[in-house]
Amino acid sequence: MFDINVRGDVKGIERTLNDFAYRQMPFATAQALTGLAKIVQAGEQDAMKSVFDRPTPFTVNSVGVKAARKDDLQTMVFVKDIAAAYLEPYENGGTNKLNSRALLRPANAPLNQYGNLAKTKLAQLKAKGNVFVGKVKGKGGQEINGVWQRVPPKNGKPASIQLLIKFEDAHPVTQHLDYRQRAELLVRSNFNRVLGASLARAIATAR
């Protein structure tokens, strides 16, 4: 978690206002802070689509916003807990192990539109009589842990096994989200415009 403090910017604008406009500032500031948070939210979601190959809607939509109120002038852009756990290495560095389990790399199994193995596919494969889970020595003598399918002899070819899903150990991430840097840039570059528009609306609609 990190903070972006704009209190000084708000105070600087307040000193230039007349009494009527000054009274609208708490409401206008709350609206502006929430607007800025939504700009950051959209920016972080766009970054996920750029950094990752076809991220799932669950990942992209994990970026949420807590709105500000005129009696609570702070807002929050956050990543929901489940997604935060596997996205954290892409911000702070580390390995991309998911939920302390081995990673799955599909080899000859059908993928969904996001390039991932469908949630129920592993269970379906394991239920088949010609599919097994285990380690098999490859041509170089290295053991490969995964889901395998027995292929019967056909057209003169001997029986064989086919790797469907490979279980992989975690490895260091190479992509970086730069979540904090992007949030700071978006807030600073949009602050004056968003607060100005919010204040103008607050003045125009004030009773």
Side-chain angles (χ1 to χ4, degrees):
M1 182 179 292
F2 66 102
D3 297 326
I4 301 175
N5 192 328
V6 296
R7 187 176 293 108
D9 304 83
V10 173
K11 293 296 183 184
I13 292 174
E14 285 179 338
R15 287 193 291 269
T16 69
L17 302 177
N18 59 33
D19 289 344
F20 177 74
Y22 181 82
R23 289 195 296 271
Q24 313 312 315
M25 274 297 286
F27 176 75
T29 302
Q31 294 293 303
L33 291 176
T34 301
L36 287 167
K38 290 180 179 179
I39 290 173
V40 172
Q41 177 190 38
E44 302 296 0
Q45 290 174 328
D46 287 344
M48 288 179 177
K49 296 174 186 177
S50 175
V51 170
F52 300 127
D53 178 23
R54 291 175 293 175
T56 64
F58 179 86
T59 296
V60 174
N61 295 331
S62 68
V63 185
V65 168
K66 174 184 175 292
R69 305 189 310 269
K70 65 179 181 179
D71 59 345
D72 182 17
L73 294 178
Q74 57 182 353
T75 186
M76 180 185 298
V77 183
F78 61 92
V79 178
K80 297 172 185 177
D81 289 347
I82 294 176
Y86 62 77
L87 290 175
E88 190 271 339
Y90 295 95
E91 179 67 19
N92 299 319
T95 56
N96 62 350
K97 181 171 286 191
L98 178 58
N99 297 332
S100 300
R101 297 196 299 268
L103 300 174
L104 303 180
R105 173 169 288 185
N108 293 290
L111 308 178
N112 62 21
Q113 67 267 41
Y114 308 108
N116 300 321
L117 192 71
K119 288 184 178 180
T120 58
K121 192 60 186 178
L122 181 59
Q124 291 174 355
L125 289 173
K126 290 167 67 175
K128 292 183 177 182
N130 65 340
V131 172
F132 68 96
V133 178
K135 295 180 179 180
V136 173
K137 282 190 177 181
K139 292 181 179 179
Q142 182 180 8
E143 287 190 333
I144 300 173
N145 190 16
V147 180
W148 302 83
Q149 183 175 36
R150 297 182 181 90
V151 180
K154 185 178 180 180
N155 297 329
K157 294 182 179 180
S160 61
I161 56 175
Q162 182 180 36
L163 178 65
L164 299 180
I165 301 171
K166 184 179 180 181
F167 298 147
E168 291 191 333
D169 292 330
H171 52 275
V173 302
T174 57
Q175 305 107 309
H176 297 282
L177 286 170
D178 296 324
Y179 187 103
R180 293 171 174 83
Q181 182 178 353
R182 183 174 299 102
E184 179 86 27
L185 177 62
L186 288 170
V187 169
R188 299 302 177 191
S189 60
N190 288 281
F191 176 81
N192 289 335
R193 176 183 63 82
V194 173
L195 181 57
S198 296
L199 182 57
R201 286 195 301 270
I203 292 172
T205 58
R207 296 179 180 179

